[in-house]
Amino acid sequence: MSTALKILVPVKRVIDYAVKPRVNSARTAIETAGVKHSMNPFDELSIEAAVRMRERGTPAVTDILALSAGPPKCVDVLRTAMAMGADRSIHVEISDAEVKEKGELEPLGVAKLLKSVVEKEERNLVILGKQSIDDDSNQTGQMLAGLLGWGQATQASKIEFEGDNVSVTREVDGGVETLRCPLPMVITTDLRLNEPRYASLPNIMKAKKKKLEKMTLQDFGVDDGRRLKTLKVEEPPARQGGGKVEDVDGMIKKLKELGAI
Amino acid sequence: MPPLRLNPTLFNRCRASSRPRLLRPALLPRFLAAQARWSSATTEPNQPDPDGGTQGAPSSQKHIKYTSESYPEIKRDSKFGGLSEKHVQYFKELLGTESAVIDGFSQDATDDLEPFNSDWMRKYKGHTKLVVKPGSTEEVSKVLKYCNYNMLAVVPQGGNSGLVGGSVPVFDEIVVNMSRMNKIRDFDEVSGTLVVDAGCILEVADHFLAEKNHIFPLDLGAKGSCQIGGNVATNAGGLRLLRYGSLHGNVLGIEAVLPDGTVMDDLSRLRKNNTGYDIKQLFIGGEGTIGIITGVSIQCPQRSKASNVAFFGLESFGKVQQAFCAAKGQLSEILSAFELMDGPSQDLVHRVTDKKRPLEGQHPFYCLIETSGSNPDHDSEKLESFLENVMGEEIVSDGVLAQDETQIQSLWSWREGIPECLGHWGGVYKYDLSIPLPELYKLVEDTRERLTSAGLVGDDETHPVVGVVGYGHMGDSNLHLNIATRRFDKEVENKLEPFVYEWIAKRNGSISAEHGLGLAKKAFIGYSRSETMIRLMKQIKELYDPNGIMNPYKYI
Ligand SMILES: Cc1cc2nc3c(=O)[nH]c(=O)nc-3n(C[C@H](O)[C@H](O)[C@H](O)COP(=O)(O)OP(=O)(O)OC[C@H]3O[C@@H](n4cnc5c(N)ncnc54)[C@H](O)[C@@H]3O)c2cc1C
């Protein structure tokens, strides 16, 4: 008999993938007020992976716990996670004021928080997105594995179980690599792992009744001190648009001006 | 002419390259609904590619047959004068710059003229030898005055994306192309009134408005190439009609030039103006038959901050109607689209794209509902109670709600991808119809039954018909009846026409809901309009264009 899985899936609320981000006027951050937010797309893949493990049945999945740390609105992405199939969730609330004052949590702070959750909730598998599309850090999973002293497989495109061993195919430059690792472990997900399901209406209704616990960083005794400071945020230089000429003569004149002919 | 750009705004909003672009690789662009819904037999050229452009040349069809050959019964009217050296010289002098006149009279310019002679569907082609591109209202006036005096027939042309053959000449009519009149004249942020030149491209205007948190009250698949003047001239419907209403309501004023050169300056910016006959309405949907529109003022609403999309499976058309009533009742002012797709249409999309279906099981009908509003929390609350209601009452059998923008686009692709997918096997017979809502779907059933019992529908090569499907703007009672075929087949055509038109006439529907008459539907107007109405229309034409030089052989 293989060990039953108790899965933790952290999910982050980020500016929607399809929205064009804009730098604020002080050029210190991206403008987030009034901008559409959604679940980090890589985290959707993680939830989907966990739910598919449950559907497969071997090894059995005892519990899928979704967790999000951030402002009150994070509840929306937790509801989505539960509508997709997570059993319950924890919202580690950080008030908007706190984020404003101290800045967002950093990968190390998140990894410490997750470590504490893993211990309290007795998890044996953590599935994270390989990165969140807002800061693109690609660090949290690795730091968490380090803090826990667990094995890790990053950028997974396929996950298979063989008894208590997990074999993970990951995409690397020029090909794929397959790792085998015993539980407990940390996996981070990549794009080709799966195609996340839509949240169906019956499941959205059911998700409303699932348990959503509110907690704070203090409850987990996490030091969330910030180590990084954002100095400046700038848009990439605007592309120079093409000019229009009225006719052939105009074009020749222009080309001459530019010294092209 | 550059290839048509069916460029959806959504695709211009791609983010930094680290973003997972391949998240859902099979995403179809949001080349918003209703592209290519012309109503007689056509192939499906110019299908948009995932970058929102169109693939290569307009169509696989190499040679476009001259309209004069496909319609041998139409004869050139001998009252019109022929082009002469003197005429060409006049236009060149009037318009000054070289690029404003394409002269195929003094020299061979066949290739240069081709894009102005042939239409988007590559179904119609004229013989013009002259294209003029006036740059101002005054120049338009001088061009028309000259043509009227010399009995030279003209075709007003916008983005040439019309679907009924109205925008290209039949014989040697002079093409008056409006592309050089492309300025945004004025925008008032307080009232939302936009004033533009007629040749301004729809998408350009909408981008301009987006920067100012406003939206153009019309959206359609050809937005990257069609012009506002062309939209007004065809009274285009499109995707936002349910929410923002028709151009007859939104256009506040029109500046137009009559055939004799008179400039009709009715460029009002007023919402209310009850002082006499509202003449500008004749130009909305007038398809270039009584004058050329040179400027438009239009009322533009505030752009919505929040939008949601839900996708339903339903067991009968009766349930679809219940869902529509529930949506109107409970979502009311935030409802921005209610689109219908029947089961067979979704099966064909699935066969062609092989994408994962949004819903688990299969259903006889599907609906796509979009909401747009100013307050995400308020909208979500409304939407949730609506969804709970339609699920609880078992009006819908199953459904999903998009959780992010990517899912929104992906769900839309099951509606917008239909026309493209239907063309997969060969040709499509298309009908764009208005039908009273209760009977909207019955036409599809009757047509399917008719073709099936004639043994024309089947899964193998011996049957010409692949499937008979229905979809469309449920919210506007606008049905698209499409028959996907392996080849055009006289027997199929004879079963369809005049059957479909007679069916529509019996129910007082319209044989052309949003694409107009042009050349394609001219012969069938009698199915939707009484003799008296047609007579009154002819009187208008006679009054404004006594010489008949404006867009002849078409419309009525
Ligand atoms: C992919 C695709 C999707 C479409 N989707 C829809 C849709 O959802 N809903 C819908 O209603 N239609 C739709 N259409 C058809 C629609 O009618 C046209 O795309 C558009 O409104 C025409 O604009 P245009 O500038 O291309 O005009 P053209 O095609 O150039 O001209 C159309 C008619 O208007 C006349 N005209 C043009 N400009 C002027 C002017 N300045 N003054 C007087 N007359 C003028 C022409 O003589 C012609 O009769 C679609 C077309 C395509 C190709």
Side-chain angles (χ1 to χ4, degrees):
Chain A
M1 259 305 278
S2 49
T3 320
L5 300 175
K6 296 176 86 180
I7 309 176
L8 171 65
V9 185
V11 294
K12 186 171 183 185
R13 178 175 175 269
V14 298
I15 292 185
D16 191 282
Y17 161 64
V19 174
K20 185 177 189 295
R22 287 179 195 276
V23 175
N24 67 8
S25 50
R27 292 202 286 165
T28 51
I30 297 295
E31 193 59 72
T32 53
V35 177
K36 184 177 171 100
H37 282 67
S38 310
M39 190 192 296
N40 177 34
F42 290 101
D43 302 343
E44 282 182 39
L45 299 162
S46 308
I47 294 281
E48 179 68 30
V51 176
R52 287 191 192 183
M53 286 173 194
R54 133 107 29 85
E55 287 167 352
R56 216 173 296 124
T58 39
V61 173
T62 320
D63 179 39
I64 302 172
L65 169 62
L67 176 138
S68 190
K73 284 264 176 210
C74 291
V75 169
D76 294 349
V77 297
L78 289 172
R79 291 275 175 225
T80 301
M82 292 192 286
M84 289 175 72
D87 298 301
R88 61 194 176 98
S89 46
I90 295 179
H91 176 205
V92 180
E93 188 167 339
I94 305 172
S95 69
D96 288 314
E98 203 178 328
V99 173
K100 207 163 182 189
E101 186 199 320
K102 299 205 230 165
E104 293 229 11
L105 283 184
E106 290 166 8
L108 184 58
V110 178
K112 286 180 182 168
L113 166 67
L114 296 178
K115 174 175 185 269
S116 171
V117 175
V118 164
E119 286 161 356
K120 269 205 172 154
E121 297 281 344
E122 297 175 337
R123 303 288 103 179
N124 57 4
L125 178 62
V126 186
I127 310 176
L128 310 85
K130 72 167 180 181
Q131 70 197 68
S132 63
I133 62 169
D134 51 358
D135 57 29
D136 282 346
S137 295
N138 192 341
Q139 294 169 355
T140 308
Q142 293 88 324
M143 287 177 171
L144 175 63
L147 292 173
L148 288 166
W150 290 5
Q152 60 171 312
T154 56
Q155 284 138 263
S157 62
K158 195 170 169 191
I159 307 172
E160 284 167 314
F161 287 86
E162 299 153 11
D164 276 349
N165 282 316
V166 188
S167 125
V168 176
T169 306
R170 49 194 306 269
E171 291 186 31
V172 293
D173 279 350
V176 293
E177 180 180 77
T178 306
L179 301 177
R180 185 174 324 125
C181 182
L183 287 173
M185 76 174 298
V186 171
I187 297 175
T188 73
T189 57
D190 211 336
L191 291 178
R192 267 162 278 272
L193 180 61
N194 58 46
E195 190 186 336
R197 68 197 61 196
Y198 291 97
S200 76
L201 299 185
N203 289 338
I204 291 174
M205 309 291 164
K206 276 187 217 146
K208 286 191 177 171
K209 303 202 175 74
K210 290 182 179 174
K211 193 165 145 203
L212 196 159
E213 266 178 282
K214 288 230 182 262
M215 304 192 72
T216 61
L217 287 169
Q218 290 72 38
D219 293 334
F220 293 98
V222 175
D223 154 33
D224 65 332
R226 313 290 197 271
R227 288 166 172 74
L228 306 171
K229 189 167 158 52
T230 302
L231 299 179
K232 201 158 117 190
V233 180
E234 272 188 292
E235 297 214 5
R239 266 187 56 200
Q240 281 248 305
K244 242 188 178 166
V245 289
E246 267 282 315
D247 47 28
V248 177
D249 289 343
M251 181 160 85
I252 292 172
K253 197 167 142 236
K254 195 90 203 156
L255 288 172
K256 279 192 178 144
E257 266 171 40
L258 295 168
I261 48 171
Chain B
M1 187 181 70
L4 268 180
R5 288 200 321 121
L6 307 179
N7 204 349
T9 344
L10 284 170
F11 266 70
N12 293 341
R13 294 200 279 135
C14 279
R15 300 184 70 173
S17 59
S18 65
R19 307 232 146 217
R21 292 214 172 170
L22 289 173
L23 201 57
R24 291 193 187 81
L27 257 191
L28 273 164
R30 186 169 181 176
F31 56 95
L32 296 172
Q35 34 84 292
R37 290 196 301 253
W38 53 93
S39 75
S40 292
T42 64
T43 50
E44 290 275 354
N46 256 359
Q47 293 308 331
D49 62 31
D51 296 326
T54 39
Q55 291 158 352
S59 125
S60 52
Q61 203 180 322
K62 284 232 170 50
H63 289 288
I64 311 164
K65 219 169 155 185
Y66 283 112
T67 309
S68 55
E69 284 166 20
S70 347
Y71 291 77
E73 66 280 9
I74 305 178
K75 300 276 181 265
R76 185 182 184 281
D77 194 328
S78 56
K79 75 179 174 190
F80 295 128
L83 213 53
S84 74
E85 186 62 47
K86 195 181 92 214
H87 297 326
V88 176
Q89 208 45 48
Y90 173 81
F91 291 119
K92 283 188 176 167
E93 270 160 34
L94 173 69
L95 301 178
T97 74
E98 197 180 302
S99 60
V101 178
I102 302 176
D103 168 16
F105 179 79
S106 338
Q107 70 216 41
D108 178 31
T110 316
D111 288 351
D112 292 344
L113 288 168
E114 165 86 23
F116 301 90
N117 260 324
S118 54
D119 79 323
W120 186 83
M121 299 180 292
R122 298 181 74 79
K123 196 179 167 200
Y124 299 98
K125 184 174 170 180
H127 300 265
T128 199
K129 291 265 184 284
L130 188 70
V131 176
V132 296
K133 301 181 188 173
S136 66
T137 305
E138 203 192 332
E139 286 181 359
V140 174
S141 165
K142 288 190 172 143
V143 167
L144 285 193
K145 191 173 179 182
Y146 185 87
C147 290
N148 197 45
Y149 183 78
N150 290 289
M151 285 302 283
L152 298 169
V154 303
V155 182
Q157 188 175 72
N160 198 7
S161 71
L163 298 178
V164 287
S167 51
V168 290
V170 179
F171 299 102
D172 57 348
E173 301 91 279
I174 295 171
V175 172
V176 181
N177 181 288
M178 297 299 289
S179 58
R180 280 180 68 230
M181 283 192 68
N182 59 3
K183 304 272 177 319
I184 289 172
R185 296 192 193 172
D186 183 41
F187 178 64
D188 176 23
E189 297 203 28
V190 180
S191 61
T193 309
L194 176 76
V195 185
V196 291
D197 279 355
C200 182
I201 301 227
L202 176 59
E203 191 176 49
V204 172
D206 195 49
H207 280 170
F208 170 87
L209 289 166
E211 289 293 317
K212 309 205 163 345
N213 293 321
H214 280 70
I215 189 168
F216 201 89
L218 167 78
D219 185 17
L220 45 79
K223 73 170 115 186
S225 32
C226 64
Q227 300 175 359
I228 292 171
N231 297 145
V232 172
T234 56
N235 186 24
L239 287 151
R240 293 177 186 157
L241 191 129
L242 172 71
R243 176 63 168 274
Y244 301 122
S246 103
L247 291 175
H248 279 298
N250 290 315
V251 171
L252 302 177
I254 286 181
E255 175 193 88
V257 175
L258 304 183
D260 65 4
T262 305
V263 175
M264 178 191 98
D265 182 356
D266 188 25
L267 208 47
S268 154
R269 291 158 201 224
L270 309 172
R271 284 197 72 165
K272 301 173 109 175
N273 183 8
N274 287 353
T275 48
Y277 295 119
D278 192 1
I279 307 263
K280 69 168 184 296
Q281 298 295 350
L282 296 175
F283 289 80
I284 305 175
E287 299 185 37
T289 56
I290 54 173
I292 295 189
I293 301 168
T294 50
V296 174
S297 74
I298 185 162
Q299 155 197 325
C300 302
Q302 199 79 27
R303 218 175 183 91
S304 298
K305 287 203 189 80
S307 73
N308 285 295
V309 169
F311 190 96
F312 299 145
L314 307 98
E315 70 189 24
S316 67
F317 186 65
K319 298 272 183 188
V320 174
Q321 293 181 66
Q322 286 179 27
F324 181 51
C325 288
K328 280 196 300 183
Q330 295 169 40
L331 299 172
S332 34
E333 82 284 358
I334 61 167
L335 182 66
S336 56
F338 193 111
E339 296 287 316
L340 165 73
M341 298 85 74
D342 67 359
S345 74
Q346 299 299 282
D347 293 345
L348 295 184
V349 171
H350 181 65
R351 265 168 76 181
V352 175
T353 62
D354 206 27
K355 280 200 307 182
K356 196 167 148 247
R357 289 166 180 266
L359 304 179
E360 298 262 317
Q362 296 196 23
H363 305 267
F365 291 92
Y366 299 87
C367 288
L368 185 149
I369 290 189
E370 185 188 74
T371 64
S372 333
S374 56
N375 180 338
D377 295 335
H378 163 266
D379 291 9
S380 301
E381 201 176 301
K382 264 193 166 171
L383 188 61
E384 260 174 43
S385 62
F386 164 72
L387 295 176
E388 235 162 81
N389 173 259
V390 290
M391 285 300 290
E393 301 284 315
E394 293 180 6
I395 294 172
V396 312
S397 325
D398 196 6
V400 294
L401 177 64
Q403 300 292 308
D404 55 46
E405 196 61 42
T406 310
Q407 289 190 349
I408 287 181
Q409 293 172 34
S410 187
L411 289 178
W412 263 112
S413 75
W414 286 88
R415 162 65 183 83
E416 292 162 5
I418 298 172
E420 176 183 2
C421 294
L422 295 183
H424 179 76
W425 289 269
V428 183
Y429 291 92
K430 287 171 168 285
Y431 301 90
D432 162 34
L433 312 154
S434 276
I435 304 174
L437 210 44
E439 289 203 278
L440 184 92
Y441 196 70
K442 184 143 196 320
L443 174 62
V444 183
E445 289 167 342
D446 289 359
T447 308
R448 188 178 294 136
E449 161 61 27
R450 191 176 159 84
L451 294 179
T452 308
S453 60
L456 296 168
V457 189
D459 279 336
D460 59 63
E461 275 301 315
T462 59
H463 299 90
V465 178
V466 180
V468 178
V469 312
Y471 61 96
H473 311 302
M474 173 91 183
D476 313 329
S477 301
N478 184 183
L479 174 81
H480 300 303
L481 166 68
N482 281 206
I483 294 91
T485 65
R486 299 188 168 82
R487 54 191 170 270
F488 290 128
D489 185 296
K490 266 282 160 227
E491 203 184 337
V492 176
E493 205 170 311
N494 291 337
K495 283 275 173 227
L496 289 171
E497 291 177 26
F499 168 75
V500 171
Y501 295 128
E502 283 170 358
W503 198 101
I504 293 296
K506 253 184 247 158
R507 278 128 188 121
N508 296 322
S510 171
I511 55 138
S512 185
E514 53 177 18
H515 294 161
L517 295 167
L519 194 68
K521 311 279 186 68
K522 180 185 163 149
F524 307 110
I525 183 176
Y527 286 102
S528 289
R529 297 287 199 179
S530 68
E531 266 177 41
T532 311
M533 289 315 296
I534 298 172
R535 182 166 50 81
L536 291 174
M537 289 187 206
K538 287 195 164 143
Q539 284 175 3
I540 299 274
K541 168 79 179 170
E542 185 67 26
L543 181 67
Y544 282 85
D545 180 23
N547 287 352
I549 62 160
M550 300 299 300
N551 222 355
Y553 318 110
K554 299 164 190 157
Y555 203 61
I556 45 168

